[in-house]
Structure formats: structure tokens, C-alpha cells
Amino acid sequence: GEQPFYILGPCALEQEDFAWEMARSLKEICERVGVPFLFKASYDKANRTSVTSFRGPGVREGCRILAEIGKELGVPVVTDVHTAEEAAIAAEYIELLQIPAFLCRQTDLLEACAKTGRPVNIKKGQFLAPWDTANIADKMRSFGCDNFMLCERGTSFGYNNLVVDMRGLYWMKQEGFPVVFDATHSVQRPGGLGGTTGGDGELAPILANAAMAVGIDGVFMEVHKDPAHALSDGPNQIPLAQIEATLAKLQAIRQAVS
Amino acid sequence: GEQPFYILGPCALEQEDFAWEMARSLKEICERVGVPFLFKASYDKANRTSVTSFRGPGVREGCRILAEIGKELGVPVVTDVHTAEEAAIAAEYIELLQIPAFLCRQTDLLEACAKTGRPVNIKKGQFLAPWDTANIADKMRSFGCDNFMLCERGTSFGYNNLVVDMRGLYWMKQEGFPVVFDATHSVQRPGGLGGTTGGDGELAPILANAAMAVGIDGVFMEVHKDPAHALSDGPNQIPLAQIEATLAKLQAIRQAVS
Amino acid sequence: GEQPFYILGPCALEQEDFAWEMARSLKEICERVGVPFLFKASYDKANRTSVTSFRGPGVREGCRILAEIGKELGVPVVTDVHTAEEAAIAAEYIELLQIPAFLCRQTDLLEACAKTGRPVNIKKGQFLAPWDTANIADKMRSFGCDNFMLCERGTSFGYNNLVVDMRGLYWMKQEGFPVVFDATHSVQRPGGLGGTTGGDGELAPILANAAMAVGIDGVFMEVHKDPAHALSDGPNQIPLAQIEATLAKLQAIRQAVS
Amino acid sequence: GEQPFYILGPCALEQEDFAWEMARSLKEICERVGVPFLFKASYDKANRTSVTSFRGPGVREGCRILAEIGKELGVPVVTDVHTAEEAAIAAEYIELLQIPAFLCRQTDLLEACAKTGRPVNIKKGQFLAPWDTANIADKMRSFGCDNFMLCERGTSFGYNNLVVDMRGLYWMKQEGFPVVFDATHSVQRPGGLGGTTGGDGELAPILANAAMAVGIDGVFMEVHKDPAHALSDGPNQIPLAQIEATLAKLQAIRQAVS
């Protein structure tokens, strides 16, 4: 089949020069490995566990930064939106809008994203079955949008834990839309570390391998040059120094199952 | 201890005279049983499974209706809000604001509700552990709000199913805030019936009994004079004809455990 | 309806005089509260987490002790059996045989218990849905046994945790057989404490209250005069000093829902 | 690393000539693909959902058949044992003993298997966390057995469903013993089809691909020349006609991740 694409970048737009540095490094790496690359970063972490957590530069400023990076490097850029208003603003700047998992059932947000004309990556809620994404797809189509993808990021499994049901990737694929696997958030341990959200960073590339062996259209992975000092989702991000080897292995698995 | 309170009413503000009729009937019944009553109805079902589902009259019109009912009958009124803007509007009219479960981690919405000065009932997300509500409570207090309650409405349990962990009511109570049990949504089968959300209405009062035996401060139950023809959440609402017996049994259990 | 019955006793037959002491105390308490009492203790903890854990005196010696206690005190006695051979031996001495949850699908063990002619209490496996007990009931009837009960003891919920779905008690009851709620093992945290099985003893009576409010035929609770020094399942057993108040509250709830 | 091994064969020893035919076919296929092959079949399905289900020829007769097949074809043979007595009998004939998932905590059965001196494949119970297998490993070592492997076959996930947590394969591997992935039983839907156990046969090879991408030592798959007419576990077995392609893809993935 077609080449899988990779949505890569740091969890948050921590600082402008940090974002540029990450984007340039990832672009070079993806060119070396020979894979399609989209740059991702969030301008607002709107559902942090704690109110004192870092949130980001906000929608207008964050999208401006991303758009400049995208234009300069010739790379499509991706970001999360949280309200109908943000969707409209972000769509002025951003190639691919993303709907966070907790918000995937909010009809007004889906409609606002659909109406922008931009493609949309919709994260499947941790509380949804794989086949429940059919209802999301129906909503998007009824709002005139056919250009969207569905993204797995783990399912609630007991308390403070998520599990990735690899069968879900197969079932979601049956609906005929591209399926993306978000390896970073799939290894989160929600609420597990007092006021922050813990995870198992070393498992993110391993789950990505498994998902690629099942068959997916794209991989989402957060990458940070220094995960231990990241301002959000530190424990889950893949170190920049490891991403090239990670991508190479994913491509080899893709080859094996094609 | 104190008398438990009851948040009762139809899922949605289907029509103005329907809302008046339900509120009058419920007020009479609660007076006969001798329990504190708050009237609840939603002006917008913002996260329906399907885009063609009934949604409601919208925030301004819905809150006007509820406020008139509340004033005339001398009953506090309750409704859900979905955005910061809606919170501000609803707070002009409504005594108790409610934050839907999917949105319980959206910091801006919590802040907007906290800032209204109104009390807030926060539904615990289906994806949260009971102790994760401590993070929600911390957010509310950091926004200057001490007048809120935490509401259990079931936890994700496999696909298309929720389970109520009765231990959770006990654990949530440890945080020192009133705990409400939402019997109606706890028996939902999310996504289970194609494009609508199925449930097990006959089980709602049974789970309320169990929760009362554990020890709670309030009960939330949706009541409809004709659940089979309700415009939303039909299968889960308690028939109006049964609510008096349901309340009497709950009060008897309360007596037994006090 | 009929009076509920109570299966009470220490987890294990730690020592002969300890068993006598527990049985005498429990008999007196149950007489004061006015409830039917069956005395339970295990002669072998056959599936302990660790191989170095205490197991017990074995089938023949353990059943002899239980039978003497039962005869002297005029109390029916209950114990677990783990193989077809043990079932035959235990049935010579014991009024009510119990099938452990992990073994509830072992056809030969069900058959051996059914063939003894003794009533059987079958614990529902942590891996079974409430309606799956219909298959167990069918097996028992096909082996000529109509005199059995089904017992809830929690369902797997993520890792190292169980949840009691109170709806399950209602669904199990639909099959027409007595339903027992095992409050002690329902609050276990399987595998949670290194080599032993942790739990939340203070929650056992609370879950029993909830189950009684739903409607059950019997309650199973392990009771120990000094849970902190119990040789097995210490953290989950109810202290003997609290059992009278626990039973009184359960009876009051029963009254309230009858 | 080393070549992974494959435990393949029909669920049950339906008939003697059927077993021979399956073993010969699988041996030829594994030789063509160039992978180590062990032949598996069960002599007794001891925990069938329904009492009227097919069980098999019994331990002595079943092991005789397997031993003859193994000797003639030069292939190690594998079978499940359910009691200490069966373990002793089977060990006279069989190279690799298997402990069923429901029985993985039964200390006496573990001990009996350990004492035979044969290697043992222990299925992880559907009710256990991956790290709980450390307790099983400790038991085996304390009984003098170091020659065993741990096998994942899915974890309880809500009702009538299992999920494979691919992280679990990684965690189980940390204990230093070979890890096997049982693709067939991992796609079971326990209790899902009235009196039989339903599944999703087409997903078995897909989950095996994912597990191989994570990294495992062996794969267990049930194979049948005509799954639709199998006497047990029909819907989950891989058709014989597809097994060669399945093995080839698994080997290609192994190559990609090595």
C-alpha cells in the first residue's frame, strides 16, 4: 500500500526557538529515513491534571509560530483545538486540525472543524469502543467533511491505566477512513502520579511497532530533545536521539507486512 | 446526618409546558415524601451520539424557562453547561451549574463555572478513578470556589458498558465535598444501540438504593412521564409514576444506615 | 421475603481451638441479631499467591474439625473444595460445599459436587459476566443438582483490582437460584502486595450494605478476631468486634427494601 | 536473537486420523517456512462452557496418540493437563506440558508439573496482571523447575471480552523466562455465544503479527483444516490453508525487529 505518514513533534510549544529546533531536526531525520512528515505541537494544554501545570502560548500566537515553521520548512503543521472559536482561528494557519480525545463527542466542535475545510484528525475517546467511531464519522460527513482520520490513543482499563486493543485498529479501518496510532498518549497512566499524568515512555515505540504490524495509515509520536525536562507529558515523549532508529524499525515492519 | 437532596427532572427541555408539568409533579411528590428537591433539565444535549438527535432550545431560552419554573415553584434549578460562555449566561438564571462528565478535565470550563459564584455539580468522567477527583477539587479551590459537589455516573468497563464501583462513592467522600450519585447515566450503555445510547432503566433505582446504602449526599435521577417517548435518554429515565415509591425506599434505606 | 442467611467464619482453619472460639462467638452474635448462621472455614488455601503462604490442615482433618464444631453447636458448616476427590471426602462431613471462583468452569469438579447430594455454593469467576452463570447452572442441573447458589465475589477490573457490578446481583437473580454476596473477596486487590493478596477490609461491610439494598439471599463474610495477625486474607477480614453492628445494619437495610 | 518456535495444532484430538493428518501437514509447512514446530492438541476440554460440548478421548488415550505422532514425525508434542494426576500421566508421553489459564494459580498443579521434569508452558490467567506472573515463576522455581515459559492469552476486559495488552509481553519478558503468545485464545469472546465460546478467527494472525513486532519467543496458534466444523473453538482456529502465509509474515516481522 501507500507509505505511512508520521505526525511528530513536542507535546507543547514550550518556546519559539525550541519549536524551530525540534521541527528542523525532525525534518532532517524524516528525509533521511524517507518518510512523509507532519510537524505537531500544542499551543494550549487545556485539560492538564493540575491547574498549576504549563499550558502554552495560546491559539493565535501558537498557530502563528507553527505556520511560520511550516512555511519555512515546507512541512504541514498540526495542532489541537478545543472550542469552535479556536477551530476557526487555527484553520487560518494550520494544515491539519486535531480534536482531543475527551472532546470527540462534542458535536459543535466537530462541526466547527468540519466547516473549516481543513482535514481533521479525531482522537478516539478513552471511553469509546472502536466501532463507536462510526458515529463520529457519520457526524463529520453530515457536516460536509470527508477528509478526516480516526486516531487510537488507548482505552480506559481499570483505574489510572489505558490499554491499546490492537483489534481496534483493524475494526476502525473497516469504516474506510485513515487510521492513525498515537503511541505517546497510549502509554499514559492517567492521573497516576499525583498532580501530573505519568507514563511509560520506553513502551511508546514498542506499541508503535505492534500497531504497524497490524496495519495503520499514520503514526503520531511526541518527540522531545530532553523528555526529562519537558514542560508536559515528559515521561511519554520519545527522545529525539532515538527517533531515527524508531522510524527505521517501523518502516521495516511496514515492509514486512505489505 | 443531614437529609439527602434529590436532583430530579427530565433529561431534556423537550417543550416548555412539558417542563412545567414535570416540575409541578415532582415538587408535589417530593413534598409528600418530605425531601429537598432541585429541578433539572438540559437546554442542549451537546454530545449526542448522532448528529440527527434532538438537542434542545439552547442556553438562553432554556435557562429562561428553568428560571421561571424555579421562581414560580420556589425550587432551585439545575442545568448542564458546555463552554465558558454558556457558564456565564446560565449563571444569570440558574442556581446549580453542572459540568458534564466528558468535560470534567477542561480547565477553562471549570474556571468559568467557579468564577460565576454559583455552586457547581461536577460529573466524574467515565475515564477517571475516584481519587482523580481530588485534582478537580484542587482546580476548583484554586479558582476560588469551595461550593461544589462531585458526582459519580459510572466508569468505563470494557466496550459499550459502564460499571459503578460503589467503593468510589466512599473514596470520593474522603475529599470532604458532597457526593452525588447519578443513577440515570450510570445505567447507560454508551454507544450500544447504533446511533443512540442504550440503557437499563429498571436498574437506575436499584443502583440508587445501593449508593444510598453506601452513603451519599444527593441523588440525581432523570424522570419522565413517558420514557418510551422521551426525545433523549429514553430507556434510562425513571417513569414519573414510579418516582414516589423510589424516593420512599431511598429514604428508608437512608434511615437504616444513619 | 425470607430472612437472608449469613455465611461467616475465618478465612482459614488456622488452629482447632481458634476455629472453636470463632464459631462459638459468631453463633452467639447471630442469635442475638436473630439471623440464620452457617460457619465457614477453609482447610486448604490451594491457590495462594506465594508458595510459602500458609495453606491449612488439609481436607480430612479440616472437615473433621468443622463437622465436630457443627454438631456440637448445631450449626451448618461450609468449606471450599478443589478437586473431585476432595468433594467426595468433604461431603461426608460438611453441609454446604463451596466451589472457588477460579475453578467455577471445571466441569469435573462441578459434577463431583453435584453428585454428592450436598448443596453447593458456586463462586462466580472474576472472568465471567453475570449472565455466564446460566451456563454453570445448566451444568449443575444436567448433573442432577438443583440445590445450589451462585455467589458474586467481584469481577476483574484492570490490573490488580476487582469491581462489584451491583447490576450483576440483579441479573444473576433472574436465573432463579439464591444469590450470595461475598463481601470479603470482593474487596481483594489480587496480586497487589508483592507475594500476598491485599485488600480494603473497611470496605467489605460497606459493599455488603450496597448488595443488601439491591436484594440478595445470603451474605458471605470472613471474620477474624484479629485480622492483622490472620494467616491468610488478613486485610480483608472483618474484626469479630465489629460483626454484630455490621449484621444489625444489614438487617435494617433488608427491612427497608422489603 | 534466536529463532521463535511455533506451537501449532488443532484445539482438540477430535479423532486419531485427523490428528495424524494435521500433524503431518503442519510439519511439512513448518519445514518449508523453516521454523521450529511443536505439535499441540488437547485430550480433554475440561472447562467447556456447556456440559454437552465435546471433551475428547481422555488423558491416557490422548497422550498415547500424541506420543506416537511425535515419535513417528520427530516432533515434540504438547498438551494441557488439569490435575496433578493428569500431569504425572501426561509426562510419561509428552514433551511439553501446558497449564490452562484458569488453573495457573493452583499450587498443587504447578507443583505436580514442576516435579515431572518436563518443561511447562503456563498460560497467564485472564484475571492476572503481567507482573503477577512473577509469583507463578517463584512457585515453579521453589518446586525445582527452571524450565518453563509464560504464555499470554488475553486479559478480562469488561464482560465477554478479552484484550491483549501488548505492554504485558514486554513486562513478562523482564522476568527472564521465554514468553509465548497464544493468538487463538486471545481472540476468544468468552461466554459470548450462548453455550459456546465465540471469537474472531480472522484476528488471530493479526494479533500474532503485533506480538511478534513487540518481541516474543514463541507463538501458539490453533490450526484446523476446517474451522467451521471443529468440535471446539471453531471460530478462533486458523484454517490450515492459511497457516503457511501466516508463518511467513510472522518470520518477516521477526526479521524486521531483530
Side-chain angles (χ1 to χ4, degrees):
Chain A
E2 267 175 64
Q3 188 76 297
F5 56 86
Y6 293 86
I7 303 175
L8 305 173
C11 178
L13 272 173
E14 304 188 359
Q15 284 173 294
E16 191 159 350
D17 56 355
F18 164 77
W20 278 96
E21 182 188 349
M22 290 297 301
R24 281 190 210 280
S25 300
L26 287 167
K27 193 198 170 195
E28 280 171 32
I29 292 167
C30 288
E31 280 173 358
R32 275 204 297 275
V33 184
V35 293
F37 164 51
L38 297 86
F39 182 64
K40 179 266 164 188
S42 294
Y43 56 77
D44 183 16
K45 309 306 299 173
N47 59 13
R48 298 300 299 272
T49 303
S50 165
V51 74
T52 56
S53 301
F54 172 78
R55 290 191 49 172
V59 56
R60 180 79 62 182
E61 170 69 357
C63 290
R64 180 194 61 75
I65 297 171
L66 287 169
E68 287 177 17
I69 291 173
K71 196 173 169 193
E72 168 83 10
L73 303 186
V75 164
V77 290
V78 187
T79 204
D80 291 314
V81 294
H82 313 85
T83 64
E85 292 71 30
E86 286 184 15
I89 296 169
E92 298 172 30
Y93 300 92
I94 298 293
E95 273 77 26
L96 175 62
L97 301 181
Q98 223 168 225
I99 296 181
F102 290 155
L103 303 180
C104 73
R105 284 277 298 267
Q106 304 305 311
T107 306
D108 291 342
L109 179 57
L110 291 174
E111 180 172 18
C113 288
K115 294 285 164 69
T116 65
R118 295 287 195 183
V120 187
N121 182 22
I122 308 165
K123 305 257 183 121
K124 177 170 76 64
Q126 301 85 337
F127 43 82
L128 285 189
W131 42 85
D132 293 340
T133 53
N135 292 128
I136 294 174
D138 286 346
K139 283 190 188 176
M140 292 303 282
R141 279 182 298 227
S142 76
F143 293 130
C145 176
D146 271 323
N147 194 3
F148 58 89
M149 43 193 108
L150 299 167
C151 180
E152 165 69 18
R153 47 90 78 237
T155 301
S156 283
F157 180 59
Y159 292 139
N160 302 310
N161 204 186
L162 299 172
V163 70
V164 176
D165 182 354
M166 293 286 162
R167 300 172 304 174
L169 300 170
Y170 175 85
W171 288 322
M172 287 163 73
K173 193 76 194 138
Q174 309 306 308
E175 293 161 31
F177 294 93
V179 170
V180 177
F181 177 64
D182 172 349
T184 302
H185 295 98
S186 291
V187 297
Q188 253 183 351
R189 303 283 187 108
L193 291 178
T196 65
T197 295
D200 296 271
E202 76 274 27
L203 285 164
I206 292 173
L207 287 194
N209 289 349
M212 188 59 86
V214 168
I216 46 175
D217 300 287
V219 178
F220 173 108
M221 292 189 287
E222 290 183 351
V223 186
H224 197 285
K225 64 176 181 169
D226 183 9
H229 295 93
L231 297 184
S232 64
D233 269 1
N236 303 326
Q237 299 191 56
I238 296 176
L240 183 62
Q242 292 172 19
I243 195 69
E244 184 161 352
T246 300
L247 296 176
K249 189 169 280 190
L250 285 166
Q251 289 293 104
I253 294 170
R254 173 64 163 227
Q255 205 69 12
V257 296
S258 290
Chain B
E2 266 175 64
Q3 190 75 298
F5 57 87
Y6 293 86
I7 303 175
L8 306 172
C11 177
L13 272 173
E14 303 187 1
Q15 285 174 290
E16 189 157 352
D17 56 355
F18 164 78
W20 278 95
E21 183 190 347
M22 291 298 302
R24 281 190 211 279
S25 299
L26 287 168
K27 193 197 172 198
E28 281 171 31
I29 291 166
C30 289
E31 281 173 357
R32 277 204 298 275
V33 183
V35 294
F37 164 52
L38 296 87
F39 182 64
K40 178 267 165 186
S42 295
Y43 56 78
D44 183 16
K45 308 307 296 173
N47 60 12
R48 298 301 299 272
T49 304
S50 165
V51 75
T52 57
S53 302
F54 172 79
R55 290 191 50 170
V59 56
R60 181 76 65 180
E61 170 68 358
C63 290
R64 180 196 60 76
I65 298 171
L66 286 169
E68 287 178 17
I69 290 173
K71 194 171 171 196
E72 169 83 9
L73 303 186
V75 164
V77 290
V78 187
T79 204
D80 291 315
V81 295
H82 313 86
T83 62
E85 293 72 30
E86 287 184 14
I89 297 170
E92 299 173 29
Y93 300 93
I94 298 293
E95 273 77 26
L96 175 61
L97 301 181
Q98 224 167 225
I99 295 181
F102 290 154
L103 302 180
C104 73
R105 285 277 300 269
Q106 304 304 312
T107 307
D108 291 342
L109 179 58
L110 291 173
E111 179 171 21
C113 288
K115 294 284 163 70
T116 65
R118 296 287 195 183
V120 187
N121 183 23
I122 308 165
K123 305 260 182 118
K124 178 169 75 65
Q126 301 87 336
F127 43 83
L128 285 188
W131 42 83
D132 293 338
T133 55
N135 292 128
I136 294 175
D138 287 346
K139 283 190 189 176
M140 292 304 281
R141 279 182 298 228
S142 75
F143 293 130
C145 175
D146 271 324
N147 193 5
F148 59 89
M149 43 193 108
L150 298 167
C151 180
E152 165 69 17
R153 48 91 77 237
T155 301
S156 283
F157 180 58
Y159 291 139
N160 302 308
N161 204 186
L162 298 171
V163 70
V164 176
D165 182 354
M166 293 286 163
R167 301 172 304 175
L169 299 170
Y170 175 85
W171 289 321
M172 286 163 73
K173 193 76 195 137
Q174 309 307 306
E175 292 161 31
F177 294 93
V179 170
V180 178
F181 177 64
D182 172 349
T184 301
H185 295 98
S186 291
V187 297
Q188 253 182 350
R189 303 283 187 106
L193 292 178
T196 66
T197 296
D200 295 88
E202 77 273 27
L203 285 165
I206 292 173
L207 287 194
N209 289 349
M212 188 60 86
V214 168
I216 45 176
D217 300 286
V219 178
F220 173 108
M221 291 187 288
E222 290 183 350
V223 186
H224 197 284
K225 63 175 182 170
D226 184 9
H229 295 94
L231 297 184
S232 63
D233 269 0
N236 303 327
Q237 299 192 56
I238 295 176
L240 182 62
Q242 291 172 19
I243 194 69
E244 185 160 354
T246 300
L247 296 176
K249 188 168 282 191
L250 285 166
Q251 289 294 104
I253 294 170
R254 173 64 163 228
Q255 205 70 13
V257 296
S258 290
Chain C
E2 266 176 65
Q3 189 75 298
F5 56 87
Y6 293 86
I7 304 175
L8 305 172
C11 178
L13 272 173
E14 303 187 0
Q15 285 173 291
E16 189 157 353
D17 56 354
F18 164 77
W20 278 95
E21 183 189 348
M22 290 298 301
R24 280 189 212 280
S25 300
L26 286 167
K27 193 197 172 198
E28 281 172 31
I29 291 166
C30 288
E31 280 174 356
R32 277 204 298 275
V33 184
V35 294
F37 164 53
L38 296 86
F39 182 65
K40 178 268 164 185
S42 295
Y43 56 77
D44 183 15
K45 309 306 297 173
N47 59 12
R48 297 301 299 272
T49 304
S50 165
V51 74
T52 57
S53 301
F54 173 79
R55 289 191 50 171
V59 56
R60 182 74 66 182
E61 169 70 356
C63 291
R64 180 196 59 75
I65 298 171
L66 286 170
E68 287 177 17
I69 291 172
K71 195 172 172 196
E72 169 83 8
L73 303 185
V75 163
V77 290
V78 187
T79 204
D80 291 314
V81 294
H82 313 85
T83 63
E85 293 71 30
E86 287 184 15
I89 297 168
E92 298 173 30
Y93 300 92
I94 298 293
E95 274 77 25
L96 175 61
L97 302 181
Q98 225 168 223
I99 295 181
F102 291 154
L103 303 180
C104 73
R105 285 277 300 268
Q106 303 304 311
T107 307
D108 290 343
L109 179 58
L110 291 174
E111 180 171 20
C113 288
K115 294 284 165 70
T116 66
R118 295 288 195 182
V120 187
N121 182 24
I122 308 165
K123 305 257 182 119
K124 177 170 76 63
Q126 300 87 335
F127 43 83
L128 285 188
W131 41 84
D132 293 340
T133 54
N135 292 127
I136 294 174
D138 286 346
K139 283 190 188 175
M140 291 304 281
R141 278 182 300 228
S142 76
F143 292 130
C145 176
D146 271 323
N147 194 4
F148 59 89
M149 45 194 107
L150 298 167
C151 181
E152 165 68 19
R153 47 91 76 236
T155 302
S156 284
F157 180 57
Y159 291 138
N160 302 308
N161 203 186
L162 298 171
V163 70
V164 176
D165 182 354
M166 293 286 163
R167 302 172 303 175
L169 299 170
Y170 174 85
W171 288 322
M172 286 162 73
K173 194 74 194 141
Q174 309 307 306
E175 291 162 32
F177 294 93
V179 170
V180 177
F181 177 64
D182 172 349
T184 301
H185 295 98
S186 291
V187 297
Q188 252 182 353
R189 304 281 188 109
L193 292 178
T196 67
T197 296
D200 295 270
E202 77 272 29
L203 285 165
I206 292 173
L207 287 194
N209 289 349
M212 188 59 87
V214 168
I216 45 176
D217 300 286
V219 178
F220 173 108
M221 291 189 287
E222 290 182 352
V223 186
H224 196 284
K225 63 176 182 170
D226 184 9
H229 296 93
L231 298 183
S232 63
D233 269 359
N236 303 326
Q237 299 192 57
I238 296 176
L240 183 62
Q242 292 173 19
I243 195 68
E244 184 160 354
T246 299
L247 296 176
K249 188 169 282 191
L250 285 166
Q251 289 294 103
I253 294 170
R254 174 63 165 226
Q255 205 71 12
V257 296
S258 291
Chain D
E2 266 177 66
Q3 189 75 299
F5 56 85
Y6 293 85
I7 303 175
L8 306 172
C11 178
L13 272 172
E14 304 188 0
Q15 283 174 294
E16 191 159 351
D17 55 354
F18 163 77
W20 278 96
E21 183 189 347
M22 291 297 302
R24 282 191 209 279
S25 300
L26 287 167
K27 192 198 172 197
E28 280 172 30
I29 292 167
C30 288
E31 281 174 355
R32 275 204 297 274
V33 183
V35 294
F37 164 53
L38 297 85
F39 182 65
K40 178 267 164 188
S42 295
Y43 56 76
D44 183 15
K45 309 306 298 174
N47 59 13
R48 297 301 298 273
T49 304
S50 165
V51 74
T52 56
S53 301
F54 172 80
R55 291 189 49 172
V59 55
R60 180 76 66 183
E61 170 69 357
C63 290
R64 180 196 59 76
I65 297 171
L66 286 169
E68 288 178 16
I69 291 173
K71 195 173 171 195
E72 168 82 10
L73 304 186
V75 163
V77 289
V78 186
T79 204
D80 291 315
V81 294
H82 313 85
T83 63
E85 293 72 30
E86 286 183 14
I89 297 169
E92 299 173 30
Y93 300 92
I94 299 293
E95 273 77 25
L96 174 62
L97 301 181
Q98 223 167 226
I99 295 181
F102 291 154
L103 303 179
C104 73
R105 285 278 298 269
Q106 304 305 311
T107 307
D108 290 343
L109 179 58
L110 291 173
E111 180 172 19
C113 288
K115 294 285 165 69
T116 65
R118 295 288 194 181
V120 187
N121 182 23
I122 308 165
K123 305 258 182 121
K124 177 169 76 65
Q126 301 86 337
F127 42 83
L128 285 188
W131 42 83
D132 293 340
T133 53
N135 292 129
I136 294 174
D138 286 348
K139 283 190 188 175
M140 292 303 283
R141 279 182 298 227
S142 76
F143 293 130
C145 175
D146 271 322
N147 193 3
F148 58 89
M149 44 193 108
L150 299 167
C151 180
E152 164 70 17
R153 48 90 76 237
T155 302
S156 283
F157 180 59
Y159 291 139
N160 301 310
N161 203 184
L162 299 170
V163 70
V164 176
D165 182 354
M166 293 286 162
R167 300 172 304 175
L169 299 169
Y170 175 86
W171 288 322
M172 287 162 73
K173 193 76 194 138
Q174 308 307 306
E175 291 161 31
F177 294 93
V179 170
V180 177
F181 177 64
D182 172 349
T184 301
H185 295 98
S186 291
V187 297
Q188 253 183 351
R189 303 283 187 107
L193 292 178
T196 65
T197 296
D200 295 88
E202 76 274 26
L203 285 164
I206 291 173
L207 288 193
N209 289 349
M212 188 60 85
V214 168
I216 45 176
D217 300 286
V219 178
F220 174 107
M221 291 188 287
E222 290 181 353
V223 186
H224 197 285
K225 63 175 181 169
D226 183 9
H229 294 94
L231 297 184
S232 64
D233 270 0
N236 303 327
Q237 300 191 55
I238 295 175
L240 183 61
Q242 291 172 19
I243 195 68
E244 184 160 354
T246 299
L247 296 176
K249 188 169 282 193
L250 286 166
Q251 289 294 104
I253 294 171
R254 173 63 163 229
Q255 205 70 12
V257 296
S258 289

